[in-house]
Amino acid sequence: SKLSGIRPWKRQRGMRAATRFPKLLSSKTGVLCCDVQEKFRRAIKHMDSVIHHSKWMLNAANELKMPIIITEQYPKGLGETVSELQDEIKNGKSYKFEKTQFSMITKEVEEVLKNDLTNYDTWIIVGIESHVCVQQTCLTMREHGYDVYILADAVSSQKPDDRKIALERMRQAGAVVTTTESAIFELLGDFKNPAAKKLTQRAKNRPDAGLYS
């Protein structure tokens, strides 16, 4: 059965078939940035890691000319996207939407995917919370046949157990769970890539994501 409020759509011809372990290609990959908002700054466990790694991934997307879709959950009450990410979401090819539903895939986002970003069959997800909005976004995208990567050090929840179980459920749903550095280096492919030097410098002094603590 289809999720309530989500209209099914057909993937476009020429797109790669969804696989369990696709290879990341910058020409086929976009980033979904889910609800990294000011009100959550003190509530989310390891929020410093979420912000740091989300910024790194968004910066990579801009450098590699990848599209970015940003959502904000009820920003009137929960605030805008955190200040650290503002420069990244204002640059490059980005789309920003407000929402009240948990999944990022609102009708507006669906229209962008169907009409503007038809060549992108793989989506990287960063943001919060792992077990609610991130998970429901992942499940919706998998339902519609997209390949999904979850950056484990760029997602979190208020409770560590919720993140742990959510990562496992998303993996069971066919998403690839990896880290930000791994995804970026895969997208770069070669240190000769013009963006490599700038992006690899951010690998130093990263905050602990708490994945194995």
Side-chain angles (χ1 to χ4, degrees):
S1 61
K2 298 296 181 184
L3 297 181
S4 176
I6 300 296
R7 293 179 287 113
W9 73 85
K10 293 182 179 180
R11 289 160 56 81
Q12 302 297 310
R13 291 182 179 179
M15 297 176 74
R16 295 178 298 169
T19 62
R20 180 75 189 246
F21 301 109
K23 182 178 180 180
L24 284 173
L25 300 172
S26 60
S27 61
K28 294 287 187 178
T29 304
V31 179
L32 296 169
C33 181
C34 184
D35 308 347
V36 187
Q37 293 163 253
E38 288 292 347
K39 197 75 170 183
F40 297 120
R41 191 182 287 272
R42 295 184 180 181
I44 300 298
K45 196 75 171 175
H46 300 292
M47 186 65 165
D48 58 338
S49 176
V50 173
I51 293 172
H52 178 93
H53 290 97
S54 295
K55 183 178 178 67
W56 191 11
M57 187 64 248
L58 294 177
N59 182 237
N62 284 325
E63 290 290 329
L64 298 172
K65 296 179 171 46
M66 296 160 52
I68 299 169
I69 297 176
I70 307 102
T71 59
E72 294 175 343
Q73 179 78 9
Y74 185 56
K76 184 177 180 179
L78 298 175
E80 295 185 344
T81 300
V82 295
S83 57
E84 293 92 330
L85 304 187
Q86 287 294 333
D87 285 345
E88 301 299 340
I89 65 177
K90 290 176 181 177
N91 293 326
K93 189 175 184 178
S94 64
Y95 306 80
K96 187 169 78 169
F97 302 96
E98 297 181 7
K99 68 183 180 70
T100 56
Q101 70 176 44
F102 298 125
S103 171
M104 289 181 68
I105 314 305
T106 61
K107 290 181 179 180
E108 293 80 8
V109 172
E110 182 183 322
E111 289 300 314
V112 169
L113 292 170
K114 286 196 302 182
N115 299 320
D116 297 351
L117 302 174
T118 56
N119 291 327
Y120 296 88
D121 57 19
T122 302
W123 288 85
I124 294 169
I125 304 179
V126 303
I128 54 179
E129 285 188 72
S130 308
H131 64 299
V132 185
C133 297
V134 169
Q135 179 174 281
Q136 290 190 36
T137 300
C138 172
L139 295 177
T140 303
M141 293 297 279
R142 288 298 297 154
E143 180 184 30
H144 289 303
Y146 288 90
D147 290 321
V148 176
Y149 273 66
I150 306 296
L151 302 190
D153 49 7
V155 300
S156 193
S157 300
Q158 295 183 59
K159 302 294 184 181
D161 288 350
D162 284 329
R163 176 174 65 171
K164 180 179 179 180
I165 299 301
L167 290 174
E168 182 57 30
R169 184 179 178 192
M170 289 186 282
R171 186 182 286 113
Q172 291 170 348
V176 178
V177 178
T178 187
T179 63
T180 304
E181 181 173 356
S182 178
I184 289 174
F185 274 66
E186 189 171 336
L187 287 162
L188 287 170
D190 191 319
F191 194 71
K192 291 181 180 178
N193 188 307
K197 185 174 182 180
K198 177 180 179 180
L199 292 175
T200 55
Q201 287 177 344
R202 289 183 177 270
K204 303 175 181 179
N205 303 318
R206 289 176 288 163
D208 179 27
L211 292 170
Y212 294 100
S213 59

